[in-house]
């Protein structure tokens, strides 16, 4: 079963705008990760945030984590057409570093040039 | 440095048949996990292999089995295929004991069961 939900399910924006996606999860976690998937192919790791971190940046990406609300958000600034993809959050349970990832259903982002 | 490679890319089978999917992990990685992704859904964990043994398993029936070889490559076998087994099968590799648990995914094998 899915760990949680991404919100919105689909998002369409103009190039240059910012895109914000949200993720909720259910259980205690060790870390939360965001992945991108282009056209039903393999997933590409974007960013990882540990449970004791509140915010993390990587290039045009900004991730926040609120463990009290069991939620995270991914912000993509100055979006480009190449950002068009599905974005998934994935959680790793507390414990060893090799626990299976539990994914949400994803947000489909369309960036219109 | 090759990433995670999976074969074949696409596969068409009929109900009741058996299928084997293959995965070579990223160089230096020793742990392989398999995921099933149905259309419009997120990936779901099938099982994980380390040191040639199944270490963890998700909520999948015994029709799903696997193997890991001494070179860390892995196979996923599905017996008695059902229409509902149609999905994208993703292999991910990682290094055991690394706290960050970043998994690197292959491009997947798309299985269609007719």
């Amino acid at each position: 079963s899915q760990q949680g939900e991404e919100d919105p399910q689909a998002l369409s924006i103009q190039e240059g705008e910012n895109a914000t996606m949200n993720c909720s999860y259910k259980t205690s976690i060790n870390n939360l990760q965001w992945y991108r998937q282009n056209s039903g192919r393999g997933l590409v790791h974007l960013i990882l945030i540990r449970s004791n971190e509140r915010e993390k940046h990587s290039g045009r990406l900004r991730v926040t984590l609120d463990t009290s609300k069991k939620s995270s958000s991914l912000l993509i600034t100055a979006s480009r057409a190449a950002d068009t993809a599905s974005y998934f959050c994935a959680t790793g349970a507390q414990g060893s570093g090799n626990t299976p990832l539990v994914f949400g259903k994803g947000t489909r982002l369309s960036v219109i040039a | 440095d090759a990433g995670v490679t999976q074969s074949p890319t696409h596969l068409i089978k009929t109900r009741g048949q058996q299928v084997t999917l293959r995965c070579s992990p990223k160089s230096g990685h020793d742990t392989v996990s398999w995921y099933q992704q149905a259309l419009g859904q997120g990936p779901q964990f099938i099982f994980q292999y380390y040191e040639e043994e199944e270490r963890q398993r998700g909520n999948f029936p015994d029709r799903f089995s696997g193997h890991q070889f001494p070179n860390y490559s892995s196979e996923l076998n599905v017996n008695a295929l059902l229409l509902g087994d149609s999905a994208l099968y993703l292999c991910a590799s990682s290094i055991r004991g690394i706290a960050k648990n970043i998994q690197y995914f292959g491009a997947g094998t798309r299985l269609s069961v007719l």
Side-chain angles (χ1 to χ4, degrees), chain A residues 1-2 30-31 33 35 37 39-43 45 48 50 56 88 92 96-101 103-105, chain B residues 9 31 35 37 40-45 48 56 88 90 94-103 105-107 110:
Chain A
S1 61
Q2 307 290 156
N30 184 40
N31 60 66
Q33 304 176 45
Y35 285 81
Q37 185 176 40
S39 301
R41 302 303 290 173
L43 284 84
H45 180 264
L48 178 150
R50 292 193 174 100
K56 201 159 183 181
F88 294 90
S96 72
N98 285 94
T99 56
L101 294 176
F103 288 84
K105 292 184 178 180
Chain B
T9 305
T31 301
Y35 294 82
Q37 185 179 21
Q41 302 292 314
Q44 291 207 357
F45 174 72
Q48 183 182 84
Q56 300 188 66
L88 181 67
L90 295 163
S94 55
I95 303 173
R96 193 163 191 85
I98 300 297
K100 280 190 173 182
N101 192 30
I102 293 173
Q103 299 190 16
F105 284 80
R110 185 162 298 282

Side-chain angles (χ1 to χ4, degrees), chain B residues 14-20 61-66 76-82 85 111:
Chain B
T14 57
R15 281 179 297 173
Q17 285 190 313
Q18 178 265 346
V19 68
T20 297
D62 292 344
R63 298 186 297 108
F64 289 77
S65 63
L76 163 66
N77 300 294
V78 186
N79 294 324
L81 285 167
L82 304 174
D85 295 331
L111 172 64

